Amino acid sequence: MATKPRATADTDQVRITPLQPTFGAEIFNVDLGQALPPAVFQKIRSAFIQYKVIFFRDQDITSENQVAFARLFGDIQDYPVFRSSENPAMQGLQSKYAKADIWHTDLAWLERPPFAAVLRSRVIPDVGGDTMWADGERAWQNLPGDLKSQIDELSLVHDSSRIGAHYLDGEERERRLARVRELRKQYPLIAHPIAPTHPETGRRYLFVNPALAESIVGMSQAESKALLDRLHLEYLRPENTLRFRWSQNDIAMWDERRTLHYGVYDYGDKERVMERVIIAGTDIPCR
């Protein structure tokens, strides 16, 4: 049996192991069930800003612990679509109702899209059920110069009514889609810059969303689709992605703006239960 990690005031004991040079890292010797000393939290936060996706293994903690950890980074974002009645700050994701097998970022259709998400694995299938992430910062850096110039000042319209359009069957699907149609009335179409600048790093990144993209401002649907198809292809090159194999009670935290994620649905009717907390964001700076 794995030894449960313990938080410590000695930041030298907190070990950060990159999965790629600039994208993804595992953090060891931290117990998220305990209060984190300020120096330890700052080391975690710095790793998050640097690597954009961070992972903690074997965190047998409560939902309250998970929410408390997320609150260290900012206010909790209410999730308007599928709320948990037991804990409003927590979104339960069950395999039967919450497949996520399309590249996306959450709540991009808000005026202020989220800062980050914290996801914990409660029940996982014996095989399959991985999650993938893609790095929007690296994707921008690797774009051809002419493409960077073309999208430099463009904005993308994000549409809440596209949520879950390809998920579920029968009455459950209709019930969810009816809820989404109501959301469209509450959250009209919103446009965000395609290539914003991160306020802390000063680096630009792609902010596109294959699941929720409606159109590019000022373009026809045909022109918009052609350009978005090219951007999505560039974004999702294998060298921009990583894949994480879950164990029970693992935690992933990712940047909701500088990354896309994809839940690999390869586990059939096996059970997969996750719990997610979303951290609210601020305005997106264009430059």
Side-chain angles (χ1 to χ4, degrees):
M1 180 180 296
T3 301
K4 187 168 179 58
R6 294 185 178 181
T8 173
D10 184 357
T11 58
D12 290 340
Q13 294 185 33
V14 178
R15 180 163 56 91
I16 299 171
T17 302
L19 301 178
Q20 296 180 12
T22 62
F23 188 44
E26 290 196 51
I27 300 180
F28 299 93
N29 302 327
V30 172
D31 180 1
L32 300 184
Q34 300 183 20
L36 296 178
V40 171
F41 169 70
Q42 287 303 324
K43 188 168 186 177
I44 292 171
R45 192 183 189 285
S46 294
F48 175 70
I49 296 300
Q50 179 177 358
Y51 293 107
K52 299 173 279 290
V53 188
I54 55 177
F55 303 97
F56 304 86
R57 295 283 191 181
D58 190 28
Q59 298 289 325
D60 188 9
I61 62 176
T62 66
S63 297
E64 289 72 22
N65 294 148
Q66 184 178 346
V67 172
F69 172 66
R71 286 191 193 280
L72 294 175
F73 293 85
D75 295 333
I76 302 304
Q77 170 70 58
D78 176 51
Y79 197 86
V81 188
F82 314 129
R83 293 183 176 90
S84 167
S85 58
E86 297 179 359
N87 188 340
M90 180 77 64
Q91 186 197 10
L93 303 173
Q94 298 185 34
S95 52
K96 182 179 180 181
Y97 301 118
K99 301 187 188 80
D101 52 335
I102 184 171
W103 287 103
H104 67 288
T105 185
D106 302 304
L107 302 178
W109 38 268
L110 293 179
E111 184 177 357
R112 294 180 172 180
F115 166 69
V118 179
L119 183 70
R120 179 162 64 111
S121 54
R122 297 296 304 275
V123 179
I124 58 168
D126 293 336
V127 177
D130 297 355
T131 302
M132 298 182 67
W133 283 268
D135 183 349
E137 198 170 88
R138 185 188 294 169
W140 164 262
Q141 292 169 352
N142 292 336
L143 287 181
D146 63 330
L147 188 52
K148 284 184 178 180
S149 297
Q150 183 180 2
I151 67 174
D152 185 57
E153 297 184 3
L154 295 180
S155 294
L156 174 65
V157 176
H158 301 258
D159 183 0
S160 63
S161 70
R162 294 176 179 267
I163 300 171
H166 73 299
Y167 299 149
L168 310 174
D169 296 305
E171 293 182 1
E172 180 62 27
R173 182 176 189 275
E174 289 306 311
R175 184 178 71 82
R176 294 293 178 99
L177 292 181
R179 170 66 179 135
V180 164
R181 285 190 288 269
E182 288 299 312
L183 273 179
R184 175 69 175 275
K185 299 175 184 178
Q186 185 178 355
Y187 299 95
L189 295 175
I190 188 78
H192 294 301
I194 288 180
T197 299
H198 191 275
E200 293 188 58
T201 68
R203 291 191 288 270
R204 298 184 73 177
Y205 59 96
L206 281 183
F207 189 58
V208 295
N209 200 325
L212 302 175
E214 201 277 337
S215 62
I216 295 174
V217 176
M219 287 190 173
S220 69
Q221 286 290 339
E223 292 172 327
S224 177
K225 182 179 184 307
L227 180 53
L228 286 172
D229 285 348
R230 185 180 177 191
L231 289 174
H232 295 158
L233 182 65
E234 295 286 348
Y235 199 140
L236 300 175
R237 289 182 179 277
E239 56 267 32
N240 296 337
T241 67
L242 64 81
R243 182 167 179 152
F244 184 71
R245 172 58 182 155
W246 296 94
S247 298
Q248 187 177 19
N249 290 324
D250 288 344
I251 285 182
M253 178 178 177
W254 66 90
D255 191 311
E256 284 278 20
R257 298 182 176 186
R258 291 186 293 163
T259 71
L260 294 170
H261 58 281
Y262 183 106
V264 181
Y265 180 55
D266 56 357
Y267 48 90
D269 59 356
K270 301 295 183 181
E271 190 174 20
R272 183 179 186 269
V273 180
M274 318 291 274
E275 287 187 339
R276 181 173 64 190
V277 182
I278 295 181
I279 302 163
T282 57
D283 292 335
I284 297 181
C286 297
R287 299 286 180 272

